[in-house]
Each structure stands twice: as C-alpha cells, then as structure tokens.
C-alpha cells in the first residue's frame, strides 16, 4: 500500500504512542488526508545514505487525538500499530514523500521457553513508576500492558535517552533475552 512518510528522529515501536507538533504545510495536508480517509501514515527516520533520504523501515501510525498548543499549532497523538518496510519512495507536488509499505509480520522479539523473565518484573515496576510521576506520558498511553514483557521492553527502548544507533541495534536483536540483557546493562550503569 502507498502511504505518506514522515521522517523524524523519533523511535517508536508497535503499541507505542507519541505526540507530534505539525506545522509544515505538507504534513498538515498529510494529517488532513489521513483523518479524512480514516487511515494513517508512516513514521520513519531520515537516512542521508539512502537515495530516497529515508530509512527502509518505519512504523505505521494512526491519529488517536488532536489539539492545539498555545501558539495555535496542531498537536496530534499517534499510536503505532505495525512495523513496515518501505520501498519505491517518491515525492508529490508538496514535496511530501510516499512509499510502498509492506507490513512486517515477524514478531518484534521472540521469547524462548528458557528465557529468564525475572528482570521483566523490575522493568515493569520501574515503567509503572515512570508513568505515575509523568502525568503527560501517563495520559498519552491510553492502554498499558505491564504484564507483557515485549510491551514493557519496547516502551523502555522508546523512552530511554539512547542514541538512535543504539536503539536500532537493540531493536535488531531477535530474542527478548538479548534485549533485556542490554537493558539490564543500561540500568546497572545508572545505579
């Protein structure tokens, strides 16, 4: 399916939420079309090494809420639903990029039968505490799933102040155990 692409330095995974400030005419148009058609668009990263200027992967998002800031700029809350691959990127007359997007059906990470899940409880408790002390984040996440280890690990990857390269490296792990080992190291360094 051909979808509008919004390159931003935001790291978002399925079931994640973020708030975007929209002010460029091409992206205002993108949001207007998405709202009118009841569809979404793809958040991706800029990639100067790529001929089309965007990454080969992104996340499909849908607008779940909108408002205005004090300056009158549009604020939209988006919810990520699927990871996608991006090919055949083109630009329209507004300089808005569009690409053929295919849903990635593989799971984000695989939890093996022997994976140690004891660290999950600590990650879930810390995340719950973070949501409690951050009302804006708590409000943004309408649905929370602290019991799901994949959901909890994905939220930490979105929220931790890591470089994009570090986050992409962690995301490329195939197992949940690999991801939690990296997260455990990060938390150990902070103690």
């Amino acid at each position: 399916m051909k979808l509008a692409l919004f390159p931003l330095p935001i790291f978002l995974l399925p079931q994640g939420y973020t708030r975007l400030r929209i002010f460029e005419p091409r992206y205002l148009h993108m949001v207007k079309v998405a709202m009118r058609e009841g569809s979404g668009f793809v958040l991706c990263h800029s990639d100067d090494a790529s001929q089309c200027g965007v990454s080969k992967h992104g996340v499909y998002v849908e607008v779940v809420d909108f408002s205005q800031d004090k300056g009158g700029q549009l604020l939209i809350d988006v919810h990520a639903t699927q990871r996608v691959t991006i090919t055949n990127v083109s630009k329209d007359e507004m300089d808005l990029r569009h690409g053929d997007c295919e849903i990635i059906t593989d799971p984000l990470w695989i939890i093996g039968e022997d994976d140690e899940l004891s660290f999950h409880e600590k990650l879930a408790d810390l995340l719950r505490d973070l949501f409690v002390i951050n009302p804006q984040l708590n409000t943004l996440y309408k649905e929370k799933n602290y019991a799901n280890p994949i959901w909890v690990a994905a939220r930490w990857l979105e929220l931790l102040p890591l470089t994009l390269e570090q986050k992409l490296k962690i995301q490329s792990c195939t197992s949940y155990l690999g991801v939690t080992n990296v997260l455990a190291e990060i938390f150990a360094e902070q103690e």
Side-chain angles (χ1 to χ4, degrees):
M1 67 187 131
K2 195 76 151 178
L3 293 168
L5 306 176
F6 195 176
L8 286 172
I10 291 176
F11 189 80
L12 196 64
L13 294 169
Q15 300 180 16
Y17 292 84
T18 195
R19 178 166 290 154
L20 304 173
R21 177 173 276 111
I22 310 294
F23 52 89
E24 287 186 50
R26 61 183 164 172
Y27 297 121
L28 287 166
H29 176 73
M30 175 191 72
V31 170
K32 180 180 177 181
V33 169
M35 297 293 289
R36 182 179 66 227
E37 296 179 358
S39 65
F41 52 90
V42 173
L43 286 180
C44 57
H45 301 115
S46 296
D47 184 353
D48 294 334
S50 166
Q51 186 178 17
C52 58
V54 296
S55 58
K56 295 178 185 177
H57 296 95
V59 65
Y60 178 78
V61 299
E62 297 173 340
V63 178
V64 294
D65 200 3
F66 60 92
S67 61
Q68 288 184 328
D69 67 9
K70 292 179 182 178
Q73 289 182 338
L74 177 64
L75 299 175
I76 61 171
D77 294 347
V78 296
H79 176 243
T81 62
Q82 300 284 335
R83 294 178 300 141
V84 298
T85 57
I86 303 166
T87 57
N88 302 322
V89 176
S90 60
K91 290 184 182 181
D92 65 15
E93 64 280 353
M94 295 185 76
D95 210 26
L96 178 64
R97 292 183 184 107
H98 297 265
D100 290 331
C101 299
E102 186 174 329
I103 293 172
I104 298 172
T105 57
D106 296 335
L108 194 53
W109 303 295
I110 296 169
I111 298 178
E113 292 179 24
D114 299 331
D115 282 355
E116 178 61 51
L117 295 177
S118 62
F119 190 58
H120 163 69
E121 291 302 323
K122 179 178 181 180
L123 287 175
D125 288 344
L126 289 170
L127 187 61
R128 192 177 288 109
D129 292 346
L130 181 64
F131 277 83
V132 167
I133 63 172
N134 190 326
Q136 184 176 359
L137 186 62
N138 193 44
T139 302
L140 186 61
Y141 274 83
K142 314 241 185 301
E143 299 174 23
K144 301 171 188 78
N145 192 356
Y146 298 112
N148 181 328
I150 302 291
W151 185 88
V152 170
R155 302 302 68 86
W156 277 116
L157 289 181
E158 293 167 353
L159 298 170
L160 284 172
L162 304 173
T163 66
L164 179 58
E165 291 76 22
Q166 289 172 311
K167 290 182 179 190
L168 292 174
K169 182 179 178 184
I170 295 169
Q171 182 187 354
S172 71
C173 292
T174 57
S175 75
Y176 170 76
L177 187 58
V179 172
T180 56
N181 285 340
V182 175
L183 289 172
E185 289 174 16
I186 292 167
F187 280 102
E189 291 172 4
Q190 302 303 314
E191 291 178 351

